[in-house]
Amino acid sequence: MTGDVTHIKKILVFRFSALGDVAMTIPVLWSFSQRYPEYEVWFVSRPFAKDLVAPLPNIHFLPVDLKDRHKGLAGLFRLYRELRKNGPWEAVVDLHSVLRTHVLTTLFRISGTRVARIKKGRKEKKALTRKSNKIFKPLQSTISRYQTTFKKAGLPFEMVPFPGKELFGNMQPNDLFASNKKPEAASALSRRNSSSFTIGVAPFAKHNWKMWPEERMLKLLRILDKEDNRIILFGGRGEEQEKLEEWAANLKKASTFAGQLSMREELQLMSQLNVMISMDSANMHLASLAGTRVISIWGATHPYAGFYGYGQSPDDAVQIDIECRPCSVFGNKPCHRGDFACMMNITPEMILHKIKAK
């Protein structure tokens, strides 16, 4: 008679949102897998998330195609049928809680599957960001809200440290980039062979009201360029890539690989930095996953809304105390003062002070 075979239990986890929101699920999924190694987690998200979950144990990634195959109500029914085939499921954990996931979780609930949806705290966030009678206090973090949702599904666990630098930075630099013919990036990764201080700079965000004005950022870059620093500029393809290449061409010690690297390669590159300077953006969350210290610059948004980088020190958030902040959770509302004081009053010297504080 053979030994007992442990029954593999499966759960579904939904998060279809933007890169930063998905990145914040990773430490939570890691902690879950450490507490429940007998469970398989099937993570359903947009295709870009594949590299984020790849190093995690017991995680299966299922890409969702919301623009074609899984578009609209018919597409969601198709996705539901596809997911049902991979069951049975012990629980469905909805970390997004939007109309699409409500349709899916309702179908699973009707079929008898246990379902838990995240409570986003919309009422508290509205009170935090409204123009008058603002209730200015720290709200539950998004990562904590994710953790609470698992608890609602009957799967409680404590958060444990996420070994991001080990998971995303454990390959030899030349090994990662050689096959893709990116020797310059491999060289930039070899910080261990250099005495210089390597600084990442991610100047962009999805919305303008989360971005430090360009002239301030360029002034900071010129100061850093005069010192013994190596500067790596991070951004996306298209206009961001073009602008960063222009900036790098006018700086002696700066380089950029924007638009050239996979998500996995960017994470490894970030893991080699001494520090990242970022807006309240996806790059803040990616660098946090990679185990790198992040000095983040905040304007219309605020860490109190719950979207601060995982494991980052509150002291490394650069921000101005001003009565109207925060005016938005996502930074997508125009400045009602008209002077953008929350960003205009942040100086390069404030960033430099933070860099040298540790």
Side-chain angles (χ1 to χ4, degrees), residues 55-102:
L56 303 183
N58 300 331
I59 304 290
H60 294 261
F61 180 70
L62 292 171
V64 62
D65 182 4
L66 298 176
K67 294 182 179 180
D68 188 9
R69 182 171 178 79
H70 304 130
K71 181 180 180 180
L73 193 59
L76 292 176
F77 275 102
R78 183 178 294 111
L79 176 59
Y80 168 71
R81 290 193 297 270
E82 292 170 2
L83 295 174
R84 285 270 291 175
K85 291 178 182 177
N86 290 297
W89 305 103
E90 297 286 323
V92 177
V93 181
D94 179 4
L95 300 181
H96 200 174
S97 191
V98 292
L99 182 58
R100 287 187 180 111
T101 59
H102 288 180

Coordinates of all heavy atoms in Angstrom, one line a residue, residues 55-102:
P55 N 7.9 33.6 -9.6 CA 8.8 33.0 -8.6 C 8.1 32.4 -7.4 O 8.7 31.8 -6.5 CB 9.7 34.2 -8.1 CG 9.4 35.3 -9.1 CD 8.0 35.1 -9.6
L56 N 6.7 32.6 -7.3 CA 6.0 32.2 -6.1 C 5.7 30.7 -6.1 O 5.3 30.2 -7.2 CB 4.7 33.0 -5.9 CG 4.9 34.5 -5.9 CD1 3.5 35.2 -5.7 CD2 5.8 35.0 -4.8
P57 N 5.7 30.0 -5.0 CA 5.4 28.6 -5.0 C 3.9 28.4 -5.0 O 3.1 29.2 -4.5 CB 5.9 28.2 -3.6 CG 5.9 29.4 -2.7 CD 6.2 30.5 -3.7
N58 N 3.5 27.3 -5.7 CA 2.1 26.9 -5.7 C 1.1 27.9 -6.4 O 0.0 28.0 -6.0 CB 1.6 26.5 -4.3 CG 2.4 25.4 -3.7 OD1 2.9 24.5 -4.4 ND2 2.5 25.4 -2.4
I59 N 1.7 28.7 -7.3 CA 0.8 29.7 -8.0 C 0.7 29.3 -9.5 O 1.7 29.1 -10.1 CB 1.5 31.1 -7.9 CG1 1.7 31.5 -6.4 CG2 0.6 32.1 -8.6 CD1 0.4 31.8 -5.6
H60 N -0.5 29.3 -9.9 CA -0.8 29.1 -11.4 C -1.3 30.4 -11.9 O -2.2 30.9 -11.3 CB -1.8 27.9 -11.6 CG -1.3 26.6 -11.2 ND1 -0.7 25.7 -12.1 CD2 -1.2 26.0 -10.0 CE1 -0.3 24.6 -11.4 NE2 -0.6 24.8 -10.2
F61 N -0.8 30.8 -13.0 CA -1.3 32.1 -13.6 C -2.2 31.8 -14.8 O -1.9 31.0 -15.7 CB -0.1 32.9 -14.1 CG -0.5 34.2 -14.7 CD1 -1.0 35.2 -13.9 CD2 -0.4 34.4 -16.0 CE1 -1.4 36.4 -14.4 CE2 -0.8 35.6 -16.6 CZ -1.3 36.6 -15.8
L62 N -3.3 32.5 -14.7 CA -4.3 32.4 -15.8 C -4.6 33.8 -16.4 O -5.2 34.7 -15.7 CB -5.6 31.9 -15.3 CG -5.6 30.4 -14.9 CD1 -6.9 30.0 -14.2 CD2 -5.4 29.5 -16.1
P63 N -4.1 34.1 -17.6 CA -4.3 35.5 -18.1 C -5.7 35.7 -18.6 O -6.3 34.8 -19.2 CB -3.3 35.5 -19.3 CG -3.2 34.0 -19.7 CD -3.3 33.2 -18.4
V64 N -6.2 36.9 -18.3 CA -7.6 37.2 -18.7 C -7.5 38.2 -19.9 O -6.7 39.1 -19.9 CB -8.4 37.8 -17.6 CG1 -7.7 39.1 -17.1 CG2 -9.8 38.0 -17.9
D65 N -8.3 37.9 -20.9 CA -8.3 38.7 -22.2 C -9.5 39.6 -22.2 O -10.5 39.2 -22.9 CB -8.1 37.8 -23.4 CG -8.1 38.6 -24.7 OD1 -8.0 39.8 -24.6 OD2 -8.1 37.9 -25.7
L66 N -9.5 40.7 -21.6 CA -10.7 41.5 -21.4 C -11.0 42.3 -22.7 O -12.1 43.0 -22.8 CB -10.6 42.5 -20.2 CG -10.4 41.8 -18.9 CD1 -10.2 42.8 -17.8 CD2 -11.6 40.9 -18.6
K67 N -10.1 42.3 -23.6 CA -10.3 43.1 -24.9 C -10.9 42.2 -26.0 O -11.4 42.7 -27.0 CB -9.0 43.7 -25.3 CG -8.6 44.8 -24.4 CD -7.3 45.5 -24.9 CE -6.8 46.6 -24.0 NZ -5.6 47.3 -24.5
D68 N -10.9 40.9 -25.8 CA -11.3 40.0 -26.9 C -12.1 38.8 -26.3 O -13.3 38.9 -26.2 CB -10.1 39.6 -27.7 CG -10.5 38.8 -29.0 OD1 -11.7 38.8 -29.3 OD2 -9.6 38.3 -29.7
R69 N -11.3 37.8 -26.0 CA -12.0 36.5 -25.6 C -12.9 36.6 -24.4 O -14.0 36.0 -24.4 CB -10.9 35.5 -25.3 CG -11.5 34.1 -25.0 CD -10.4 33.0 -24.9 NE -11.0 31.7 -24.5 CZ -11.6 30.9 -25.3 NH1 -11.8 31.3 -26.6 NH2 -12.1 29.8 -24.9
H70 N -12.5 37.5 -23.4 CA -13.3 37.6 -22.2 C -14.0 39.0 -22.1 O -14.3 39.4 -21.0 CB -12.4 37.3 -21.0 CG -11.7 36.0 -21.0 ND1 -10.4 35.9 -20.8 CD2 -12.2 34.8 -21.3 CE1 -10.0 34.6 -20.9 NE2 -11.1 33.9 -21.2
K71 N -14.3 39.6 -23.3 CA -14.9 40.9 -23.3 C -16.4 40.8 -23.1 O -17.0 39.9 -23.7 CB -14.5 41.6 -24.6 CG -15.1 43.0 -24.8 CD -14.7 43.6 -26.1 CE -15.3 45.0 -26.3 NZ -14.9 45.6 -27.6
G72 N -16.9 41.7 -22.3 CA -18.4 41.8 -22.2 C -19.0 40.6 -21.4 O -18.3 39.8 -20.9
L73 N -20.3 40.6 -21.3 CA -21.0 39.6 -20.5 C -20.7 38.2 -21.1 O -20.5 37.2 -20.3 CB -22.5 39.9 -20.4 CG -23.3 39.1 -19.4 CD1 -22.7 39.4 -18.0 CD2 -24.8 39.5 -19.5
A74 N -20.8 38.1 -22.4 CA -20.6 36.8 -23.0 C -19.2 36.3 -22.7 O -18.9 35.1 -22.5 CB -20.8 36.8 -24.5
G75 N -18.2 37.2 -22.8 CA -16.8 36.8 -22.5 C -16.6 36.4 -21.1 O -15.8 35.5 -20.8
L76 N -17.3 37.0 -20.1 CA -17.2 36.6 -18.7 C -17.8 35.2 -18.5 O -17.3 34.4 -17.7 CB -17.9 37.7 -17.8 CG -17.2 39.0 -17.8 CD1 -18.0 40.0 -17.0 CD2 -15.8 38.9 -17.2
F77 N -18.9 35.0 -19.2 CA -19.5 33.6 -19.1 C -18.5 32.6 -19.6 O -18.4 31.5 -19.1 CB -20.8 33.5 -19.8 CG -22.0 34.0 -19.0 CD1 -22.6 35.2 -19.2 CD2 -22.6 33.2 -18.0 CE1 -23.7 35.7 -18.4 CE2 -23.7 33.6 -17.3 CZ -24.2 34.8 -17.5
R78 N -17.8 33.0 -20.7 CA -16.8 32.0 -21.3 C -15.7 31.8 -20.3 O -15.2 30.7 -20.1 CB -16.3 32.6 -22.6 CG -15.3 31.7 -23.3 CD -14.8 32.3 -24.6 NE -15.8 32.4 -25.6 CZ -16.4 33.5 -26.0 NH1 -15.9 34.7 -25.5 NH2 -17.4 33.5 -26.9
L79 N -15.2 32.9 -19.6 CA -14.2 32.8 -18.6 C -14.6 31.9 -17.5 O -13.9 31.0 -17.0 CB -13.8 34.2 -18.1 CG -12.7 34.2 -17.0 CD1 -11.4 33.5 -17.4 CD2 -12.5 35.7 -16.6
Y80 N -15.9 32.1 -17.0 CA -16.4 31.3 -15.9 C -16.4 29.8 -16.3 O -16.0 29.0 -15.5 CB -17.8 31.7 -15.6 CG -18.6 30.8 -14.7 CD1 -18.2 30.7 -13.3 CD2 -19.6 30.0 -15.2 CE1 -18.9 29.8 -12.5 CE2 -20.3 29.1 -14.3 CZ -19.9 29.0 -13.0 OH -20.6 28.2 -12.2
R81 N -16.8 29.5 -17.5 CA -16.8 28.1 -17.9 C -15.4 27.5 -18.0 O -15.1 26.4 -17.6 CB -17.5 27.9 -19.3 CG -19.0 28.2 -19.2 CD -19.7 27.7 -20.5 NE -19.2 28.5 -21.7 CZ -19.8 29.6 -22.1 NH1 -20.8 30.1 -21.5 NH2 -19.3 30.2 -23.2
E82 N -14.4 28.3 -18.4 CA -13.0 27.9 -18.5 C -12.5 27.6 -17.1 O -11.8 26.6 -16.8 CB -12.2 28.9 -19.2 CG -12.5 29.1 -20.6 CD -11.8 30.3 -21.3 OE1 -11.1 31.0 -20.5 OE2 -12.0 30.6 -22.5
L83 N -12.8 28.5 -16.1 CA -12.4 28.3 -14.8 C -13.0 27.1 -14.1 O -12.4 26.4 -13.3 CB -12.7 29.6 -14.0 CG -11.9 30.9 -14.4 CD1 -12.4 32.1 -13.7 CD2 -10.4 30.7 -14.3
R84 N -14.3 26.9 -14.4 CA -15.0 25.8 -13.8 C -14.3 24.4 -14.2 O -14.2 23.5 -13.3 CB -16.4 25.7 -14.3 CG -17.3 26.8 -13.6 CD -18.0 26.2 -12.4 NE -19.0 25.2 -12.7 CZ -19.6 24.5 -11.7 NH1 -19.4 24.7 -10.5 NH2 -20.5 23.6 -12.1
K85 N -13.8 24.4 -15.4 CA -13.1 23.1 -15.8 C -11.9 22.8 -15.0 O -11.5 21.6 -14.9 CB -12.8 23.3 -17.3 CG -14.0 23.3 -18.2 CD -13.5 23.5 -19.7 CE -14.7 23.6 -20.6 NZ -14.2 23.8 -22.0
N86 N -11.3 23.8 -14.4 CA -10.0 23.6 -13.7 C -10.3 23.4 -12.2 O -9.3 23.2 -11.4 CB -9.1 24.8 -13.8 CG -8.5 24.9 -15.2 OD1 -7.8 24.0 -15.7 ND2 -8.8 26.0 -16.0
G87 N -11.6 23.4 -11.8 CA -11.9 23.2 -10.4 C -11.8 21.7 -10.0 O -11.2 20.9 -10.7
P88 N -12.5 21.3 -8.9 CA -13.3 22.2 -8.0 C -12.5 23.2 -7.2 O -11.3 22.9 -6.9 CB -14.0 21.2 -7.1 CG -13.1 20.0 -7.0 CD -12.4 19.9 -8.3
W89 N -13.1 24.3 -6.8 CA -12.5 25.3 -6.0 C -13.0 25.4 -4.6 O -14.2 25.3 -4.3 CB -12.8 26.7 -6.7 CG -12.4 26.7 -8.1 CD1 -13.2 26.6 -9.2 CD2 -11.0 26.8 -8.7 NE1 -12.5 26.7 -10.4 CE2 -11.2 26.8 -10.1 CE3 -9.8 26.9 -8.1 CZ2 -10.1 26.8 -10.9 CZ3 -8.7 26.9 -8.9 CH2 -8.8 26.9 -10.3
E90 N -12.0 25.5 -3.7 CA -12.4 25.6 -2.2 C -13.0 27.0 -2.0 O -13.9 27.2 -1.1 CB -11.1 25.4 -1.4 CG -10.5 24.1 -1.4 CD -11.3 23.0 -0.7 OE1 -11.9 23.4 0.4 OE2 -11.4 21.9 -1.2
A91 N -12.5 28.0 -2.7 CA -13.0 29.4 -2.5 C -12.6 30.2 -3.6 O -11.6 29.9 -4.4 CB -12.4 30.0 -1.2
V92 N -13.3 31.3 -3.8 CA -12.9 32.4 -4.8 C -12.7 33.7 -4.0 O -13.6 34.1 -3.3 CB -14.1 32.6 -5.8 CG1 -13.7 33.7 -6.8 CG2 -14.3 31.3 -6.6
V93 N -11.5 34.2 -4.2 CA -11.1 35.5 -3.5 C -11.1 36.6 -4.5 O -10.2 36.6 -5.4 CB -9.8 35.3 -2.8 CG1 -9.4 36.5 -2.0 CG2 -9.8 34.1 -1.8
D94 N -12.0 37.5 -4.4 CA -12.0 38.7 -5.3 C -11.3 39.9 -4.7 O -11.8 40.5 -3.8 CB -13.5 39.0 -5.5 CG -13.7 40.2 -6.5 OD1 -12.7 40.7 -7.0 OD2 -14.9 40.6 -6.7
L95 N -10.1 40.2 -5.2 CA -9.3 41.3 -4.7 C -9.5 42.6 -5.5 O -8.8 43.5 -5.3 CB -7.8 40.9 -4.7 CG -7.4 39.7 -3.8 CD1 -5.9 39.5 -3.9 CD2 -7.9 39.9 -2.3
H96 N -10.5 42.5 -6.3 CA -10.8 43.7 -7.2 C -12.1 44.3 -6.9 O -12.2 45.6 -6.8 CB -10.7 43.3 -8.7 CG -10.5 44.4 -9.6 ND1 -10.2 44.2 -11.0 CD2 -10.4 45.7 -9.4 CE1 -10.0 45.4 -11.5 NE2 -10.2 46.3 -10.6
S97 N -13.2 43.6 -6.9 CA -14.5 44.0 -6.6 C -15.0 45.1 -7.5 O -15.3 46.2 -7.1 CB -14.6 44.5 -5.1 OG -16.0 44.7 -4.7
V98 N -15.1 44.7 -8.8 CA -15.7 45.6 -9.8 C -16.8 44.8 -10.5 O -17.0 43.6 -10.2 CB -14.7 46.1 -10.8 CG1 -13.7 47.1 -10.2 CG2 -13.9 44.9 -11.5
L99 N -17.5 45.4 -11.4 CA -18.6 44.7 -12.1 C -18.2 43.4 -12.7 O -18.9 42.4 -12.5 CB -19.2 45.6 -13.1 CG -20.5 45.1 -13.9 CD1 -21.6 44.8 -12.9 CD2 -21.0 46.1 -14.9
R100 N -17.1 43.3 -13.4 CA -16.6 42.1 -14.0 C -16.5 41.0 -13.0 O -17.0 39.9 -13.2 CB -15.3 42.3 -14.7 CG -15.4 43.1 -16.0 CD -14.0 43.1 -16.7 NE -14.0 43.8 -17.9 CZ -13.3 45.0 -18.1 NH1 -12.7 45.5 -17.1 NH2 -13.4 45.6 -19.3
T101 N -15.8 41.3 -11.9 CA -15.6 40.2 -10.9 C -16.8 39.9 -10.1 O -17.0 38.8 -9.6 CB -14.4 40.6 -9.9 OG1 -14.7 41.8 -9.2 CG2 -13.1 40.8 -10.7
H102 N -17.7 40.9 -10.0 CA -19.0 40.6 -9.4 C -19.8 39.6 -10.2 O -20.5 38.7 -9.6 CB -19.8 41.9 -9.2 CG -19.3 42.8 -8.1 ND1 -19.8 44.0 -7.8 CD2 -18.2 42.7 -7.3 CE1 -19.1 44.6 -6.9 NE2 -18.1 43.8 -6.6

